[in-house]
Amino acid sequence: MSRKIIYVLLLFTMLPVLIFAGDGRIKGKVTDLSTGEALVGANVIVVGSSFGAATDVNGDFVIMNLDAGQYTVKASYLGYQSITITNVRVSLDLTTEVDFQLPDLHDCYSLLTEGPTESRKGAVRMVPPTRTWTQMR
């Protein structure tokens, strides 16, 4: 009988710890690299998991309920180059801050308008970048 009482007391003692176990969070901001403007609705995901978030009107996001560990986080937005940050360390009950500055695809590719011809008036083609990403920094 005393063993059962000890188990019950141990269960009630540990119950709050199990219920209120803290989880880690990743928060940050996604902005345009050239203008610094917030990117509303950008997607931020934890690669290899189902965790992610979309940015609000200020470009801010929060990903909650992450276990402690190291993660790879990716931010993407239509018309912008995706950026991936590796080795993002998350600790229990702490918030890790990760900010993204996404380059506009126009910074990576130049749009050239070809001269008007009978068959291709106003045609636009993509030209490969003349600078690499590391040279743009």
Side-chain angles (χ1 to χ4, degrees):
M1 181 71 168
S2 67
R3 261 193 167 178
K4 288 183 181 180
I5 293 173
I6 291 174
Y7 286 136
V8 169
L9 288 176
L10 184 61
L11 176 68
F12 283 122
T13 305
M14 295 301 292
L15 192 61
V17 174
L18 296 174
I19 291 175
F20 299 110
D23 290 332
R25 293 170 294 281
I26 297 174
K27 78 170 196 168
K29 188 170 191 139
V30 180
T31 57
D32 182 299
L33 177 65
S34 58
T35 65
E37 292 181 21
L39 298 179
V40 179
N43 294 311
V44 182
I45 62 166
V46 177
V47 177
S49 76
S50 60
F51 292 101
T55 58
D56 63 11
V57 295
N58 298 317
D60 297 321
F61 69 91
V62 178
I63 303 172
M64 300 182 351
N65 299 326
L66 294 171
D67 293 330
Q70 288 189 349
Y71 294 96
T72 299
V73 183
K74 179 179 179 181
S76 61
Y77 192 70
L78 190 62
Y80 288 80
Q81 181 179 352
S82 297
I83 299 292
T84 302
I85 299 177
T86 58
N87 298 323
V88 176
R89 182 167 298 212
V90 174
S91 301
L92 289 179
D93 293 330
L94 294 177
T95 301
T96 303
E97 190 160 335
V98 179
D99 293 328
F100 292 92
Q101 294 179 325
L102 303 184
D104 190 344
L105 283 180
H106 293 109
D107 292 341
C108 299
Y109 292 95
S110 300
L111 286 174
L112 295 180
T113 306
E114 297 178 351
T117 61
E118 289 182 21
S119 62
R120 300 178 70 182
K121 287 191 177 184
V124 177
R125 67 182 174 101
M126 296 295 282
V127 176
T130 55
R131 300 178 292 170
T132 63
W133 170 242
T134 54
Q135 293 171 333
M136 290 172 48
R137 290 187 198 176

